[in-house]
Amino acid sequence: MLVTLTLFALIGASLSATLNSEAKPVDNNAIFTFGMVGTQRAQKDVTLLAELGSKGLDSLNLEEQVWLLESGGLSPAAIDTALEILLPKLSEIGRTSDEQAMALLMLAQKFCYKTKEGDNECYGDESEYLALTAFKSTLGCTKKDILSWGLDAENREKNTSAIAEDDMCMCFDQTDPMLWLALMTKFSGRKATKNGFSKHEQLIAILTELFNQQCEGYLASQKEFQCSCNRTTEGHEALYMHIIMSEQDVLDNITDNNAVQTYMQEKMNTPSTRIGSDVIMNFMLQSMGGTMDPMMLAFLTRDKSSGLSSSEYMKQMILSSLGVDSSLAHLLLNGGLNSKDQNKIAMINYMTANGALDPTFVPMMLGVTHGKSFYLQSLVESGALDPFVGLLMIGKESGVDNSKLMEILIESASSPNRDEYLASIYSPYVPGLPAGIYPGSSLYFAHFELLGVNTCALHDLRNRINCGYSGITAIECETAPYCCYSPIFLDDVTVKATTGGTILSASAIPWCYYNIFFVLYDSYHMIVKTAGEFASPISCRGLFKYGLNIDATMYSLMSSQTSNPLSKYMNPRVDCGFPGITEFHCVAIRGCCWDTKNANIPGVAQCFNVNGDVSVQFSFNKLPVAYVPAPGSCNINRKQIRSLYYKRTACHYSFDFYKFGYNALTVPNRLDCLTRLGCCYEDDDNVSELYPYVPRCYTRESGAISGLSKANAHTLIRQGNGDDITDAITAIFPKHNKPTNQ
């Protein structure tokens, strides 16, 4: 059930649609971002808007402000509302530019689905959601969760006895990306997960994560004192209200609460009337919108002697309404478990054995290293957790700045089809590779010839060894595959940068050079990156932020200017290649990013270093130790954890096998894999079908099994009774005694 409550009614009467001539004192960055993203979402050209932004945003006049808002998709009435009511209110309560842009996108219904008729289809009235965004709450923690405090970061006191009981530590960063994500997801009307909205797992994860974030801030009573929060327990009331409004079972639980009924009857002077859920929600929203200091529901229902704050009580109430065991809810409220508490560990093991908890949940509850990241990744992979929710939560866990998380949310509005992008969260990214080539494969001249790859194009500038003379022609030079010919037209500065300073002059680079792959056919090779080392889509950002499709020539032009008004909307690039580098060499061998859209544009690198935040992407280093295969063993993956299959490195026939007639690209069969190569083999056909980029014949884990090595093989018992195998051999083949001379 949702109630209709317009933002206009909360703030005041609707203003006239006639705008004054002077520019409005609003955040022009928010307006520009909204205009660009909204225009792109409508599949229109953003060039004119980008040109306006390139002139600078500080000097926008009213006509330009209105044009940007209109381009983004707002009606005249909505433009009036945005400039006169919404944006000033959001600025007043400290919302950032990105948060204000998100609110405008919501006002323009840019998160809604398009129907067959081309109309927007939204879930509920955007005014209800905007009322929550205009609610001012303060993120922070109460005294019991303050780790330290002092006048500066260097001089801190851990003893908090001098802090008043009702004081709190207020976080410097008051952005709450999870609130915006929750509103965006619900407003769009789409299912949060492919299996439907999983209340038990998704909401537990969200509520737990909100409480467990640390932050730096200052004391509310004495702002000159800095402080650190162990957990951000306060300031999530708007998100809690959204959950209460959205989840019917939570709402039913509230309306059946006697304390709520009594309070509302007193407020409305109707002692004998049953107060319905719509009346309660209207009352709560009116309190939020009218005073920005609402009488929160937790204050109506909580036991004042419990010692719980309003945020803590609301969270416990929601968890209980969702059917979460009260003991588990208490543990979540208190930061989970630690591995030293044996009683709690025993309880978790008991609940796991009974099927009350998923095994992937246990590492997080026990507080083991990387347990939380692994649990979140597992939830996203299984479909129980929305990928964007998982992305934000993993980002918070990894310490990603809130501004970057908000940027990702806005980007989702302009580019809704991001399955591959989001898959990088829970699974190692593997690009498309030729048949027979796997992550970790060693590629010699023979492999490239079999694949039909021109090895001349794979030479780094530093690997060019002169094969001719100055002025040699291509016809004279090229006698494939022995020598290669490729002119270079670069200045000395570019050459120095491309070669890392090892070559200082363009004239020092030969145009005719030996093909080192052919010359060193059995020794020089390239190694394909392993799973987890490739540059994933989430770590390769486009030329412009928010997924904006602005012409690349403007990027090049703006980059060359000393003063660039659009610099905050651009993602910097560092060249990772050399002239003529191929996509395979860039992506598979160097592990860099490749831009398929923009090629041969001066100042725009097509092959470039990772420029996204890699801390949110999957990493094998984030697996709990218990799930990591032992050194020297075969990664048989008993628990069938999807990501662990990608940890396997291909085991190929060595180059010596190729000399004796083996095809270098042939995948070893089971017998050869186990007996000729001494590698591991996947017998399950289903695994091979599900994971085509995972080799069937794979190497053992690096390292050695303790006590099992060639060096100590002779010390191992062979007969079972402790006798050395020499005794058995002697019994079958008696020692031949040398005859003595007669």
Side-chain angles (χ1 to χ4, degrees), residues 391-417:
L391 178 61
L392 291 191
M393 295 175 70
I394 293 172
K396 293 294 291 182
E397 172 70 11
S398 303
V400 178
D401 188 80
N402 279 335
S403 61
K404 291 185 178 179
L405 297 177
M406 290 299 299
E407 180 184 315
I408 291 172
L409 281 183
I410 295 177
E411 190 165 339
S412 73
S414 60
S415 304
N417 298 320

Side-chain angles (χ1 to χ4, degrees), residues 31-86:
I31 293 177
F32 181 74
T33 299
F34 163 73
M36 293 287 286
V37 174
T39 300
Q40 180 165 299
R41 183 65 185 261
Q43 298 182 342
K44 297 179 180 179
D45 190 7
V46 297
T47 303
L48 291 178
L49 282 77
E51 290 177 355
L52 174 63
S54 67
K55 299 176 183 178
L57 298 176
D58 295 335
S59 58
L60 292 182
N61 57 41
L62 178 59
E63 183 180 355
E64 290 168 334
Q65 289 177 330
V66 171
W67 179 64
L68 285 171
L69 293 171
E70 185 179 24
S71 299
L74 289 184
S75 65
I79 292 174
D80 189 6
T81 301
L83 292 175
E84 300 289 352
I85 302 176
L86 179 61

Side-chain angles (χ1 to χ4, degrees), residues 91 233 273 278 495 544 596 662 664-665 690 710:
S91 294
T233 58
T273 304
D278 56 338
V495 168
F544 293 90
T596 57
Y662 281 76
L665 297 179
L690 286 172
K710 290 182 179 180

